[in-house]
Amino acid sequence: MAPAAGARKHNIKEALLFLAALGFMMALPMWLPNRFYIRLVNEIMIYGLLAMSLDVLLGYTGLLSFMHTSYLGIGAYITGLFLMHVAPGSLWLAILVAVAATMLVAWPVGWVQVRTGGLPFALLTLAFGMMYFTVAWKWYSLTGGDDGLMGMPRPDITFFGLTLASSGDSHAMYYFTLIVVAVCLLLTWRVIHSPLGAVLEAIRENEERAAFIGYDVRRYKLLGWMIACGLAAVSGSLFILYKGYVGPATMDAFAGAAVLMMVLLGGMGSLWGPFVGAAIFIFMQDYISTMTENWEIFVGAVVILLVLFMPKGVAGLGGLLSRGQKA
Amino acid sequence: MGALATVVDLILNSLVLGGVFLIVAIGLNIIYGLNRVMNLAHGSLYALGAYAGYTLVNLGGNFFLTLLFAPLVVGLVGLVIERVLISPMRARPMVYTLILTYGLMFVMDGCLKYFWGKETRFIAMPEFMTQTLSLGPVQYPVFRLVILLAIAAVMGGLMLMLGRTRMGVNMRAAADIPEMVSAVGVNLRMVQMGAFVLGCVLAGVAGALAGPLFTVYPVMGHGMLISSFVVVVIGGLGSLRGAIYAALLIGVVQTLAEFFITDLAMVLVYMMMALILVFKPRGLVGEGKFE
Amino acid sequence: MSPILSTSELSRHFGGVAALNLVSVAIEDKQVRSIIGPNGAGKTTLINAITGRLPVTSGTVTYLGQDITSWPIHDRVKRGLCRTFQITSVFKGLTAFENVRIARQAHKGGSLRLFASRGSLKQVTEDTWAILERVGLTDKALAPCSSLAHGDQRVLEVAIALAGGPRVLMLDEPAAGMSPTETDQVAKLISDLGREMAVVLVEHDMEMVMSISDRITVLHQGGIIAEGTPAEISDNEQVKDAYLGSEKWAPLVALD
């Protein structure tokens, strides 16, 4: 049938683009002049994953989370605490535990949030985000307070018993991040195009009508929320493995705005957009924050300008050029 | 005797804190009710009010004068914001104005830092207000009592304004049925603009009142913004009555929590909010209008 | 035969105003029941109260022998209580096909398959094409919904509701804003559907109402003032009074 054929063609195009991007990222370290840039690109991939998880919520489900970095932070703290206090060598287990524990935290919070409706949902993400921040900042004995979580061991990167490298090595960490992010991207792509993804899309388009065709809207919103928080937790694990450290500033309101800006820059409702947004943002931050102390004003102003003049972001520009997908 | 003094002290402190929350939250509610905009820069406007007060007192102005000066400054800034940023966004989905005002919050915070520096500032008070008053066994700072009176006056004035003046009546009508107001020849745009500025003026008053109370620093608005959200959400969006209950409740809980468990006090406040929302997802007063 | 859907003394107040006042109505299976009345009579409020869009102030709604008064919306829909909206409410950013498909998926299940493709729900896809065929939207199935003409969007409303496998189909002014040709087509469709399921129709086009209804209920100021066959209603003096001065009643007079 017609839509299936069209979709297949589109899928093949997307698959080729994905493989090309993956190949490019594989080869990229060869061209990068030094370790600093490798680490910068590593950070871009991590924040790209976080921004993509926010976009699953914002672009595909229509829910706004102001403090999505909270869940990166929680994932990072749990990974770190697990490696420090439970099993110093178990990298994969630490990631799994972090994702599971983050989702365990996110579940009741999400449950309360989806009961209240669209706008209160957004306000509550801010309130709960500040709560997490307060805990990370003030619970000194657990989190290290303002100083952050330090002294995390560097586990080896293993694969089915095979030790590949140490996570302390920049190159190894780069490839590790790349592979985890790529797998997450594929899984997310699969979910977005699944029957569940279709339901989330319908809720974004018209929440009331979605209820009137028989969907328990709150339940599906909660599912979307859980997926987004799970992905954010993965980005958190990658974050602490890459940095070797996590502090409360990772989860403050400004960090939340930064992720939102990445999504806006890249354009809502596309999976690759947030990665582009993250790249632009992090390069800009690297460049501009060395020149001015008023980085905050700059970020805020760009967010305002984006909303006013370019609400579809870079992906929107792409859409205009190729008349491809809707943003 | 010490115990009684503590109890009275805690009650008065709760009222002061709840009162400040109330003024900020009602400003948010009025703006939302007429503009369908949740202004995330509201905490920063409150901070601006505090800084305006600080500057005036520093230049030798009277503390009571700041209660007029700060709202004036913040109201003017609010007018500019409404004209330049909010007005063009009316037709767009609410998520855009949310993100826009979030960006504005960081611009304003950055500006506060730029003009006044990162240091914490203290507002000097008139001599008589630094003394304490004996209320039976309790010694209570005159200053806090003055603030309580001022909050009551602001609320009274606001009620009069909404109940008796033409602008107020139009605002209440427009919050209920905007189409109706346009139909009877009231300029809806003017009413919406007026509501936005009024909300900002209230934030300015709250800032001027709270400045001497909590000290003045660039991100002082963040905590206030979150607390006033909690008040608005618990009270029920758009509900003035709900905001009063919720503000008092949060005032009491936060004061007690800070007294007993200090550092993680806010966590308790959020837990209580979550609990209330589990049972009353639309807020304490269910008239809240949700999008 | 016991009714498939009934309300008992259903009331809904807005502030001090009763938009619905003690409405008791029984809907029979496999019939077209029209609900008419002047503007503001409470027709849409009645549908909203029955389908759960508005909480009721008092009274009960009974559907398939169960008291559903306080059921959540989606549970009512899952049992086959489907509706359309007076103001077109479709998934604007999706294609017409996807609009119907997503509704069919809700009915058939499979929404929790995270790692399958949408096309893997074969029965859903097949049914979707059948429904689009039935309402005559096959040609426009892959166009984005926002590019459809008004009349087609109204038809799509009906198709979405049909995808829910309705046992009771509530149509809120399906022909609003349609051309005479389109109205005729939709009237034919509704009339056919009325042989398969219970259809509740709110409509201002009296010609259509008189020609396809099995029974008519007349609402006025939130209460029922008459109920009967089209012929009985057109002779009813009270109904004529209620409509007095309203042009909407003209076609009925012509029918006499």
Side-chain angles (χ1 to χ4, degrees), chain B residues 118-151:
Chain B
K118 285 179 186 164
E119 303 82 7
T120 301
R121 309 284 182 176
F122 299 91
I123 298 181
M125 284 177 291
E127 188 65 29
F128 78 93
M129 282 169 67
T130 55
Q131 288 157 10
T132 55
L133 195 71
S134 299
L135 290 169
V138 187
Q139 297 287 315
Y140 203 75
V142 173
F143 169 63
R144 290 193 176 225
L145 293 176
V146 170
I147 290 204
L148 261 185
L149 284 178
I151 290 168

Side-chain angles (χ1 to χ4, degrees), chain C residues 122-133:
Chain C
K122 291 228 163 51
Q123 188 63 45
V124 172
T125 310
E126 246 171 64
D127 295 353
T128 303
W129 283 114
I131 293 162
L132 286 167
E133 173 86 45

Side-chain angles (χ1 to χ4, degrees), chain A residues 66 115 119-120 253 257 307-308, chain B residues 32 40 92 102 106 270 278 290:
Chain A
F66 281 114
R115 281 168 64 81
L119 177 58
V307 173
L308 282 177
Chain B
Y32 175 76
L40 294 167
R92 294 242 220 118
Y102 202 43
F106 290 108
Y270 296 129
V278 168
F290 283 93

Side-chain angles (χ1 to χ4, degrees), chain B residues 130-271:
Chain B
T130 55
Q131 288 157 10
T132 55
L133 195 71
S134 299
L135 290 169
V138 187
Q139 297 287 315
Y140 203 75
V142 173
F143 169 63
R144 290 193 176 225
L145 293 176
V146 170
I147 290 204
L148 261 185
L149 284 178
I151 290 168
V154 169
M155 286 306 295
L158 185 66
M159 290 302 150
L160 270 182
M161 193 242 145
L162 287 178
R164 298 288 162 80
T165 67
R166 212 168 135 195
M167 189 65 173
V169 173
N170 285 342
M171 273 185 195
R172 283 187 306 150
D176 286 342
I177 342 171
E179 304 80 16
M180 189 82 98
V181 176
S182 309
V184 295
V186 176
N187 187 340
L188 184 61
R189 282 290 150 82
M190 284 302 288
V191 176
Q192 288 178 323
M193 193 176 84
F196 195 91
V197 173
L198 176 62
C200 295
V201 165
L202 287 172
V205 177
L209 285 172
L213 201 59
F214 306 138
T215 71
V216 183
Y217 52 99
V219 292
M220 65 185 285
H222 288 200
M224 183 52 66
L225 178 74
I226 306 289
S227 295
S228 51
F229 278 165
V230 174
V231 168
V232 167
V233 174
I234 291 184
L237 213 47
S239 161
L240 295 190
R241 203 154 52 90
I244 295 176
Y245 299 151
L248 285 177
L249 185 66
I250 302 296
V252 171
V253 173
Q254 191 169 327
T255 305
L256 291 182
E258 272 169 1
F259 183 74
F260 288 109
I261 57 175
T262 60
D263 274 355
L264 292 172
M266 284 315 286
V267 176
L268 194 76
V269 174
Y270 296 129
M271 292 291 173

Side-chain angles (χ1 to χ4, degrees), chain A residues 7 18 28 39 111 139 170 176 198 204 248 256 261 280 320 323:
Chain A
F18 173 77
L28 190 60
R39 289 177 61 81
W111 190 81
W139 195 349
S170 303
F176 181 73
R204 176 196 66 196
M261 177 166 160
I280 298 174
L320 281 180
R323 291 196 46 79

Side-chain angles (χ1 to χ4, degrees), chain A residues 46-65:
Chain A
I46 293 169
Y47 273 100
L49 178 60
L50 178 67
M52 183 191 78
S53 78
L54 176 58
D55 195 36
V56 168
L57 209 56
L58 185 58
Y60 287 94
T61 320
L63 292 172
L64 178 56
S65 170

Side-chain angles (χ1 to χ4, degrees), chain A residues 64 66 115-116 118-120 123-124 126-127 130-131 253-254 257 264 294 296-297 300-301 303-304 307-308 311, chain B residues 32 38 40 85 89 92 96 98-99 102-104 106-107 110 113-114 226 229 237 267 270 273 277-278 281 290-291:
Chain A
L64 178 56
F66 281 114
R115 281 168 64 81
T116 55
L119 177 58
L123 302 186
L124 288 179
L126 203 50
M130 292 310 285
M131 181 181 92
F254 183 65
L264 279 179
N294 302 300
E296 199 173 52
I297 301 183
V303 166
I304 293 174
V307 173
L308 282 177
Chain B
Y32 175 76
M38 190 44 77
L40 294 167
L85 297 177
M89 298 293 293
R92 294 242 220 118
Y96 288 107
L98 273 176
I99 298 172
Y102 202 43
L104 181 62
F106 290 108
V107 172
K113 249 180 238 169
Y114 183 77
I226 306 289
F229 278 165
L237 213 47
V267 176
Y270 296 129
M273 170 188 75
L277 290 173
V278 168
F290 283 93
E291 286 295 307

